[in-house]
Amino acid sequence: GAGVSQSPRYKVAKRGQDVALRCDPISGHVSLFWYQQALGQGPEFLTYFQNEAQLDKSGLPSDRFFAERPEGSVSTLKIQRTQQEDSAVYLCASSLEGTYNEQFFGPGTRLTVL
Amino acid sequence: ILNVEQSPQSLHVQEGDSTNFTCSFPSSNFYALHWYRWETAKSPEALFVMTLNGDEKKKGRISATLNTKEGYSYLYIKGSQPEDSATYLCAFTPNTGGFKTIFGAGTRLFVKA
């Protein structure tokens, strides 16, 4: 079956632009995670959805970051007024439910802010 | 501050060598410990999820152990092959009411044929 997909795979934005990153999780997966990965580091948690409910957004670095999953499947991570420090790989993962099941990761979106 | 440490940062071994890595995590508020394998240009792939102290899991030549009381997990690879070359990530989920998964920076393994 299809895995987790993300689009676009690469995004170049000028500082100050808004960007939207999409994640298509595995069908039937209740849980969805967003991570930010800087070069040489492990993925850093941004936010968690259970179906359409955003239950944990403690990792979002600023109010410029916003995520939604309105119908409990596809999710979008939006970054407003991008800054150079937002340059990173953004990973999406889904799991059957909760944080005790394995997470299936997408290929990531590499965002470069000039 | 909840922190996950992995060591070594990188490791170079010869084909056929056995090797192991360490993951250290907070011993309080434990919920789950994950190991992932991340090959270059691919997505991270789950190896194991462990939830009980003393858990031992095995998948082929790769195995892992868990000690929640002292806050560490070991990942072992027996008879390393070049295709084992990847970054091995450890991730800790605390039982603090949230849904955060905290990753270490990974151990980068290079296996030379």
Side-chain angles (χ1 to χ4, degrees):
Chain A
V4 178
S5 61
Q6 292 185 246
S7 61
R9 291 292 310 277
Y10 303 91
K11 176 71 179 176
V12 179
K14 290 184 180 176
R15 193 172 57 181
Q17 280 185 331
D18 296 349
V19 298
L21 312 180
R22 178 187 167 109
C23 172
D24 282 83
I26 293 173
S27 177
H29 277 194
V30 168
S31 297
L32 186 144
F33 305 78
W34 280 101
Y35 295 93
Q36 179 190 60
Q37 197 218 2
L39 195 63
Q41 301 191 15
E44 192 162 340
F45 173 85
L46 294 176
T47 188
Y48 169 84
F49 288 88
Q50 186 166 294
N51 295 308
E52 69 280 3
Q54 189 176 19
L55 298 185
D56 191 334
K57 50 183 181 179
S58 61
L60 295 176
S62 78
D63 59 7
R64 296 186 295 104
F65 286 71
F66 171 77
E68 59 183 5
R69 194 186 184 197
E71 295 177 4
S73 54
V74 171
S75 177
T76 304
L77 176 68
K78 297 179 180 177
I79 309 173
Q80 297 176 323
R81 304 180 304 281
T82 52
Q83 304 293 312
Q84 283 189 318
E85 61 263 28
D86 299 335
S87 296
V89 174
Y90 290 86
L91 290 164
C92 172
S94 69
S95 74
L96 280 170
E97 186 164 5
T99 53
Y100 48 82
N101 285 309
E102 63 182 297
Q103 295 177 31
F104 294 81
F105 281 82
T109 294
R110 181 176 294 279
L111 173 65
T112 303
V113 182
L114 304 176
Chain B
I1 295 176
L2 298 173
N3 210 25
V4 175
E5 301 285 344
Q6 290 190 248
S7 63
Q9 192 172 18
S10 66
L11 192 55
H12 292 251
V13 301
Q14 290 289 128
E15 182 176 357
D17 287 351
S18 293
T19 187
N20 64 85
F21 326 132
T22 303
C23 171
S24 300
F25 54 87
S27 56
S28 59
N29 297 312
F30 176 85
Y31 189 54
L33 193 285
H34 304 235
W35 280 100
Y36 290 88
R37 168 195 158 94
W38 195 356
E39 290 181 73
T40 304
K42 294 187 178 180
S43 307
E45 173 194 353
L47 290 172
F48 307 112
V49 180
M50 294 185 286
T51 56
L52 296 175
N53 183 44
D55 254 356
E56 291 188 20
K57 299 240 175 169
K58 187 174 180 183
K59 185 184 284 190
R61 295 179 290 99
I62 304 177
S63 60
T65 61
L66 178 67
N67 183 323
T68 61
K69 295 188 185 308
E70 295 182 39
Y72 64 84
S73 175
Y74 294 135
L75 187 79
Y76 300 92
I77 302 179
K78 187 177 177 182
S80 302
Q81 300 296 309
E83 57 266 30
D84 295 331
S85 297
T87 297
Y88 291 83
L89 291 168
C90 162
F92 164 71
T93 302
N95 183 15
T96 51
F99 296 87
K100 180 176 286 195
T101 301
I102 303 160
F103 280 80
T107 292
R108 185 81 172 89
L109 175 67
F110 300 89
V111 182
K112 187 175 179 182

